[in-house]
Amino acid sequence: MEDIVLRSLAPVLAVLLAAGCAAAGEEGDGETGTGGTGPITFATGRDTTAYLQPLLDRWNQAHPAEKVTLLELPEAADEQRAQMVANLQARSSRYDVLGLDVVQTAEFAENGWIIPLERGLFPLDRFLPPVVDTAIHKGKLWAVPYTSNAGLLYYRADLVGKPPQTWAELRDQARRVTKNRDIGGYAGQFLAYEGLTVNFSEAVQSAGGQILSPDGTEVTLDPAKGATALAFLQQGLREGWIPKESLSYKEEESRLAFQEGRLVFARNWPHAYGPAKARLGDKLAVTRLPGLHGPGSSTLGGINLAVSAYSRHQHTAQEFIRYFTGLENERRVLTEGSFPPVWTELYDDPELIRRFPYLPVLKESILAAKARPVSANYNQLSLVIASSVAQALSDPYAESADDVAVSMKSELEEIIRTQ
């Protein structure tokens, strides 16, 4: 539990560190950019597959006076947010293009940290519709979809016959395999951070519920459905088919545990497919997340690209986004980075499907996924969810799922009332 608490302080420490750097090394000019051209900085999460720089090099070769520099932020979404917020609150011009988690678009727009973009400059009608919705707030386009995401269930095809469609089937198969082999059953991202909020939200959705209304103005969590979702995870920990070490897992830890043969099932994003395929070969398979009574519902993830309100080179930043979200680059996002593109036609490309057999399943998952609530206070809501669930999972015998769900709903309602 101490480890979970210490890790949960990382975003706070990141804010203090980034703010200190901004104060020591940068001066906020206090004015928004004026549409100029020139060198820009692209701030986004750490590139775990080393695919970004070649794409940036192509831009730099064609635009020697408007070169882009990659600034890698931490891997976790909440730590990325912490550093970007510290920079923007200082009104610093250091960041020009921001790689935002899709749930952050509304918050950054509401705070005046990013600028609205002209819809006609981007082929939004050729993008997956749910993905486009994440970039629009109050009728304006504030960012451009760059990658999409939906959680998938990775499983060992050599150990599992028909993949599970329900939680009961997942539990039975995980228990059967772990009983006879030295291997863990199932894991997701269960550390107390944004990833745990996502995993719990998926469980609630897959039980037929939803935590907030789509506009983020009302807590719609049915405590009974919330308790059902939490009890499923607690049961796995009590019975041992969810290993205790998974309470420290983020995306990378769960990816490594699965591809190194320490798990039968793992929930992860599509970027984990390439490394797992290279390691496991034909032993690897993927399917949709299971649910209470049938296929479940993933949380819609991904990255949107936005222009900082304090960038001095906003014209270049916008043109870079047009280039970076173009069809050919989106193809490379998939083929070289293993990240889901936002162009619909790429999911139906026979050549790509041969190379990435999971694309049809991923398209289904994205179209059936639910976006996290649009809320300027999303970060507070997420912290409440993650901390409540982490506490309940840290001692699955002591915490009643029913009590946790009721308490969580009350805390979320308090945040909504004060926003």
Side-chain angles (χ1 to χ4, degrees):
M1 184 60 196
E2 291 180 356
D3 184 57
I4 291 176
V5 172
L6 288 173
R7 288 173 181 263
S8 70
L9 292 175
V12 178
L13 297 176
V15 170
L16 296 175
L17 178 61
C21 291
E26 302 172 7
E27 292 185 4
D29 53 27
E31 298 180 359
T32 60
T34 57
T37 62
I40 58 173
T41 298
F42 175 26
T44 191
R46 184 170 66 87
D47 178 12
T48 58
T49 57
Y51 85 101
L52 272 176
Q53 194 58 52
L55 302 187
L56 302 181
D57 291 342
R58 292 185 179 94
W59 166 271
N60 289 340
Q61 290 168 6
H63 303 83
E66 300 173 277
K67 288 188 175 181
V68 59
T69 299
L70 176 64
L71 195 157
E72 291 186 311
L73 302 177
E75 175 192 333
D78 40 8
E79 295 176 32
Q80 295 169 24
R81 175 192 173 278
Q83 290 199 17
M84 285 191 284
V85 167
N87 177 275
L88 294 164
Q89 288 179 334
R91 304 175 75 85
S92 167
S93 61
R94 185 184 183 196
Y95 299 166
D96 298 282
V97 176
L98 305 172
L100 302 179
D101 187 298
V102 292
V103 78
Q104 296 166 348
T105 304
E107 176 192 5
F108 280 53
E110 284 286 334
N111 283 288
W113 295 333
I114 56 179
I115 63 171
L117 305 175
E118 185 178 339
R119 291 195 193 201
L121 294 177
F122 308 97
L124 302 179
D125 60 328
R126 298 176 69 180
F127 292 1
L128 292 163
V131 176
V132 175
D133 290 342
T134 68
I136 295 172
H137 180 59
K138 294 184 177 178
K140 292 184 178 181
L141 181 72
W142 292 92
V144 181
Y146 170 57
T147 63
S148 186
N149 238 347
L152 298 172
L153 182 69
Y154 289 72
Y155 68 96
R156 287 282 298 272
D158 58 323
L159 302 178
V160 175
K162 182 180 178 182
Q165 293 189 332
T166 66
W167 290 344
E169 291 173 355
L170 173 64
R171 172 179 177 266
D172 290 346
Q173 293 181 13
R175 294 181 72 189
R176 175 180 54 80
V177 177
T178 57
K179 181 179 179 181
N180 300 317
R181 296 173 181 268
D182 183 20
I183 189 171
Y186 169 76
Q189 292 73 53
F190 299 147
L191 180 68
Y193 79 116
E194 174 65 14
L196 182 54
T197 298
V198 168
N199 277 245
F200 180 70
S201 297
E202 289 174 339
V204 172
Q205 292 163 195
S206 298
Q210 194 166 348
I211 296 176
L212 295 184
S213 60
D215 62 2
T217 62
E218 180 184 359
V219 179
T220 56
L221 176 65
D222 178 348
K225 290 184 171 62
T228 297
L230 182 57
F232 165 66
L233 299 175
Q234 288 182 312
Q235 180 185 39
L237 287 160
R238 288 196 301 266
E239 296 178 347
W241 51 271
I242 295 181
K244 288 184 179 179
E245 53 265 31
S246 67
L247 298 180
S248 66
Y249 284 0
K250 294 190 290 187
E251 283 85 353
E252 283 300 286
E253 289 85 356
S254 54
R255 177 183 69 82
L256 289 171
F258 178 77
Q259 73 183 48
E260 291 174 357
R262 291 184 274 128
L263 291 170
V264 183
F265 298 100
R267 179 263 177 224
N268 215 324
W269 303 105
H271 80 277
Y273 183 88
K277 183 67 173 178
R279 185 72 173 264
L280 298 172
D282 292 340
K283 296 178 182 179
L284 169 68
V286 297
T287 188
R288 286 181 60 178
L289 295 176
L292 181 59
H293 300 299
S297 170
S298 172
T299 292
L300 186 64
I303 298 296
N304 292 338
L305 302 185
V307 177
S308 168
Y310 307 108
S311 167
R312 296 192 179 101
H313 301 143
Q314 291 179 356
H315 179 77
T316 296
Q318 186 165 263
E319 288 302 304
F320 170 76
I321 291 175
R322 289 182 66 189
Y323 155 79
F324 220 54
T325 58
L327 180 59
E328 288 311 307
N329 268 343
E330 285 290 307
R331 185 183 295 272
R332 295 187 183 103
V333 164
L334 174 62
T335 59
E336 298 174 22
S338 292
F339 289 97
V342 298
W343 286 68
T344 304
E345 62 199 74
L346 294 177
Y347 289 84
D348 303 318
D349 185 314
E351 180 183 346
L352 291 177
I353 292 173
R354 281 193 294 272
R355 183 171 174 183
F356 302 95
Y358 64 86
L359 283 179
V361 171
L362 177 56
K363 183 180 180 182
E364 286 181 19
S365 297
I366 291 174
L367 294 177
K370 293 182 180 179
R372 283 163 285 175
V374 175
S375 173
N377 287 336
Y378 177 80
N379 194 56
Q380 289 179 269
L381 301 170
S382 178
L383 286 172
V384 166
I385 296 168
S387 61
S388 298
V389 175
Q391 179 67 36
L393 297 184
S394 66
D395 188 348
Y397 292 95
E399 294 283 341
S400 162
D402 293 289
D403 291 345
V404 172
V406 170
S407 176
M408 181 191 299
K409 182 175 183 179
S410 177
E411 290 187 64
L412 295 176
E413 287 176 334
E414 181 62 27
I415 294 173
I416 294 297
R417 278 195 297 269
T418 58
Q419 71 179 7

